[in-house]
Amino acid sequence: MRKSSPLSAPTLTIAGHDLAIKRHPRRRRLSLRVRAGQVEVLAPTSVAFAQLKQFANKHQAWWLEALRSHPVAQPIAKRVAEEGAFWPLLGNEIQLSFRVGRRQIELCDQQLICQFPQPDNAQVRYKHLQAWWREYAYQHLSQRTQFFAQALGEAPSEIQIKTYRARWGSCDARRRIQYNWKLICLPSWVVDYVVVHELCHLKQMNHSPAFWQLVNRLYPDTPQAKAWLKQHGHQYIHQL
Ligand SMILES: [Zn+2]
């Protein structure tokens, strides 16, 4: 589970903007970039949160200007299956790169290498990409469910991936958990909250104080995740 210490905080809010923090052990120095309407703070693993904040504050004029001059993050429905387009995956903006060949889709770092036979048109490519996102959702959500099920001591009878327009997940009386595949576009720490929420329904089939107590105990970042979903969730759920 993600620790809630400031060192691992995934975002930083300055002047009403959420900056994504991207840490990497091989990174040597702090830097900033703007991608698909999102400001990213690139940092070595060891840099303290306070230092990141100071750095981002100092360069605020630069990234505000960059945000103004770059197109804002596209609504999900407007994402296209074209060269260089960005699609959201676990809170990252993944860039699509197309090649001609035997049909194959492979994730390499922050790039999705999509190999399709020549005659495929944009609509067909879109369908295949969506299928890949859905499969990725199944793998990731199954893995996270297993992880938290161990901590809870309860496991679902089955995990199903669905397309919903108004909910992220559900848990039925037969102990099956259904997840909305669009969850996979959200930051991983928000996805974890939804997983824990649905799992806790295996013990409490309601939203009673006892249920919320259980959710909060298993996932302490629950209030932040709920706030994130309230603010940004609609952008992802109605579309794609
Ligand atoms: Zn619920």
Side-chain angles (χ1 to χ4, degrees):
M1 194 187 302
R2 178 180 157 263
K3 285 188 239 89
S4 50
S5 79
L7 262 181
S8 57
T11 58
L12 175 62
T13 307
I14 297 175
H17 294 274
D18 287 333
L19 282 63
I21 297 169
K22 309 270 175 181
R23 293 180 182 276
H24 198 280
R26 283 204 305 269
R27 228 160 246 150
R28 295 251 172 132
R29 46 184 279 274
L30 280 167
S31 62
L32 285 158
R33 75 175 172 202
V34 174
R35 281 175 89 179
Q38 163 92 64
V39 184
E40 296 178 348
V41 186
L42 309 175
T45 317
S46 59
V47 173
F49 186 75
Q51 206 182 330
L52 293 180
K53 195 166 179 176
Q54 198 184 25
F55 181 76
N57 266 323
K58 192 176 147 197
H59 296 283
Q60 191 179 331
W62 177 83
W63 56 259
L64 278 176
E65 181 50 39
L67 277 178
R68 265 193 295 271
S69 54
H70 286 68
V72 183
Q74 290 276 350
I76 311 293
K78 301 252 173 72
R79 308 286 176 132
V80 287
E82 276 167 18
E83 182 66 30
F86 286 97
W87 279 38
L89 185 70
L90 290 174
N92 292 307
E93 287 289 335
I94 301 295
Q95 193 166 30
L96 309 182
S97 174
F98 289 94
R99 283 159 203 191
V100 176
R102 194 170 52 86
R103 186 167 295 135
Q104 189 185 331
I105 300 179
E106 202 185 350
L107 184 63
C108 298
D109 197 14
Q110 301 271 305
Q111 250 201 350
L112 195 70
I113 312 293
C114 315
Q115 206 168 276
F116 292 116
Q118 192 89 53
D120 277 358
N121 62 30
Q123 225 173 349
V124 174
R125 289 200 301 261
Y126 193 94
K127 222 180 71 197
H128 286 299
L129 281 173
Q130 195 168 314
W132 186 89
W133 249 251
R134 210 181 160 104
E135 173 60 24
Y136 198 91
Y138 179 73
Q139 299 297 339
H140 182 82
L141 289 161
S142 301
Q143 196 198 348
R144 298 312 286 161
T145 303
Q146 223 167 34
F147 176 80
F148 287 111
Q150 263 173 8
L152 182 70
E154 298 270 358
S157 59
E158 199 184 332
I159 293 168
Q160 297 170 318
I161 300 296
K162 304 268 185 182
T163 301
Y164 296 127
R165 296 181 74 83
R167 54 161 65 174
W168 291 111
S170 60
C171 179
D172 67 19
R174 291 164 64 187
R175 300 174 64 83
R176 291 178 304 193
I177 290 181
Q178 290 90 17
Y179 292 117
N180 190 341
W181 69 271
K182 296 169 199 168
L183 265 173
I184 203 64
C185 301
L186 275 39
S188 54
W189 63 277
V190 179
V191 177
D192 278 355
Y193 154 70
V194 176
V195 169
V196 169
H197 180 121
E198 298 312 333
L199 269 173
C200 287
H201 279 316
L202 294 174
K203 281 202 168 166
Q204 296 276 345
M205 259 301 179
N206 51 49
H207 292 117
S208 62
F211 166 80
W212 285 115
Q213 206 179 0
L214 190 61
V215 174
N216 277 286
R217 201 172 62 218
L218 205 57
Y219 197 65
D221 288 343
T222 290
Q224 291 92 314
K226 283 172 77 179
W228 192 97
L229 282 173
K230 203 171 162 198
Q231 205 190 338
H232 307 284
H234 61 93
Q235 252 200 77
Y236 294 86
I237 203 160
H238 299 307
Q239 304 155 338
L240 196 75

